[in-house]
Amino acid sequence: MGKATDKELIVNGRRLDGREPYHMREIKMSVDEISSANGSAKVSFGKTTAYASVHGPRSLFPKFLQESDTGILRCRYNMAPFSVDDRKSPGPDRRSVEISKVIRRAFEPVLFLEDYPKSTVDSFIEIVEADGSTRVTGINALSMALASAGIPMKDLVAACSVGKISDTLIVDLNGVEDNNSESDVGVAMMPQKDIVTLLQMDGILTKEELVMLLNLARESCKKIYQIQKQTLMEKYRGAE
Ligand code: UDP
């Protein structure tokens, strides 16, 4: 969330990039983008582009990190230095550590980690271009990378951002909208089971606005899920 901007963010009912309030940007998805990974995916929402790669399940070292009755999921979210206009200093910072943690927690409920004692599933999200909503774009990519790695899942995870700009509720915030929003909310869910696995909110909303945004997020996640499913089915159809 940022300060109010001098620029009008909604003009004649349209956002600055021409979208109507509830429209998402163009979504592109593909899998098997990284040959050294067990599973990988690339997802773009407009200019925001995330790669995800999954390695494992594999033995966890050093051994003292191992859990005897379950496997663990490790997750690293990273924004490349060249992903934003002002170069981002490389390496982890508070924001990326927090985002890595909430993404890990968004996936733990969908995996059968107890089937992999003493092991780890290592996952990496690299944001190569950032124009808002990077964590949810990364989550959509990681969901497909896990599925593409053949790791059993209770459901996919689909994610989107919703928020409020210029007193208007919107879906899929881009960078300028995020920086000038009155509120932004990141949502990830298991779309078939209708279970929310991540919910983060910045800014101020009324209870009614929050309920409405959550419904918009749910509808949008279901649309995203259809694209994820179709992309994965094409991979397996191609393998026949
Ligand atoms: N951003 C940036 N530099 C940074 C972090 C973020 O320019 O170091 C921009 C980027 O466009 C990002 C947006 O601010 O997508 C919103 O960041 P936020 O922390 O809200 O997370 P996101 O919406 O990307 O999940």
Side-chain angles (χ1 to χ4, degrees):
M1 193 193 59
K3 293 191 181 74
T5 176
D6 296 340
K7 247 195 237 171
E8 280 293 330
L9 292 171
I10 305 250
V11 179
N12 298 329
R14 298 251 174 194
R15 295 151 72 173
L16 292 183
D17 59 9
R19 279 185 291 160
E20 289 176 24
Y22 299 169
H23 280 182
M24 290 184 279
R25 290 170 286 183
E26 185 188 10
I27 300 174
K28 289 186 193 154
M29 295 190 184
S30 53
V31 286
D32 298 341
E33 293 283 347
I34 300 166
S35 59
S36 59
N38 293 109
S40 60
K42 177 185 174 193
V43 171
S44 300
F45 275 59
K47 283 192 282 183
T48 294
T49 299
Y51 281 85
S53 72
V54 168
H55 306 259
R58 59 189 179 187
S59 295
L60 177 57
F61 294 105
K63 272 191 167 179
F64 71 83
L65 293 174
Q66 294 180 356
E67 302 274 347
S68 56
D69 54 353
T70 184
I72 62 166
L73 172 67
R74 294 195 290 194
C75 180
R76 193 190 77 171
Y77 160 101
N78 182 55
M79 258 173 64
F82 53 81
S83 64
V84 280
D85 290 340
D86 300 327
R87 176 179 177 277
K88 184 203 159 284
S89 59
D93 51 25
R94 275 174 67 109
R95 175 178 173 273
S96 64
V97 170
E98 180 211 313
I99 294 178
S100 299
K101 182 180 173 190
V102 296
I103 292 178
R104 172 171 59 76
R105 296 195 60 171
F107 281 93
E108 281 170 343
V110 299
L111 301 177
F112 297 87
L113 288 169
E114 62 282 3
D115 288 353
Y116 314 110
K118 300 182 180 176
S119 303
T120 177
V121 175
D122 289 328
S123 64
F124 301 87
I125 292 171
E126 291 291 327
I127 306 299
V128 295
E129 198 165 355
D131 184 26
S133 307
T134 60
R135 80 193 65 196
V136 291
T137 307
I139 288 172
N140 290 318
L142 181 52
S143 179
M144 293 167 70
L146 286 161
S148 185
I151 295 177
M153 298 165 80
K154 295 171 196 169
D155 198 350
L156 287 175
V157 178
C160 73
S161 65
V162 287
K164 183 177 170 190
I165 52 169
S166 307
D167 251 339
T168 308
L169 302 185
I170 58 164
V171 174
D172 181 25
L173 282 70
N174 64 24
V176 69
E177 291 172 339
D178 189 298
N179 289 329
N180 297 287
S181 65
E182 287 146 52
S183 177
D184 69 282
V185 183
V187 180
M189 61 183 296
M190 298 158 75
Q192 293 188 90
K193 295 195 180 288
D194 226 11
I195 293 173
V196 171
T197 64
L198 174 139
L199 176 58
Q200 290 188 291
M201 175 182 153
D202 259 348
I204 296 172
L205 292 169
T206 65
K207 187 175 154 196
E208 291 71 27
E209 285 170 338
L210 178 60
V211 169
M212 193 149 169
L213 282 179
L214 291 178
N215 280 325
L216 284 169
R218 185 163 169 248
E219 274 171 40
S220 306
C221 283
K222 292 201 182 232
K223 287 184 196 154
I224 293 162
Y225 169 68
Q226 291 305 328
I227 307 173
Q228 289 175 313
K229 201 166 76 168
Q230 198 181 332
T231 308
L232 286 163
M233 276 164 62
E234 273 161 24
K235 163 188 160 118
Y236 289 108
R237 246 187 236 126
E240 277 169 6

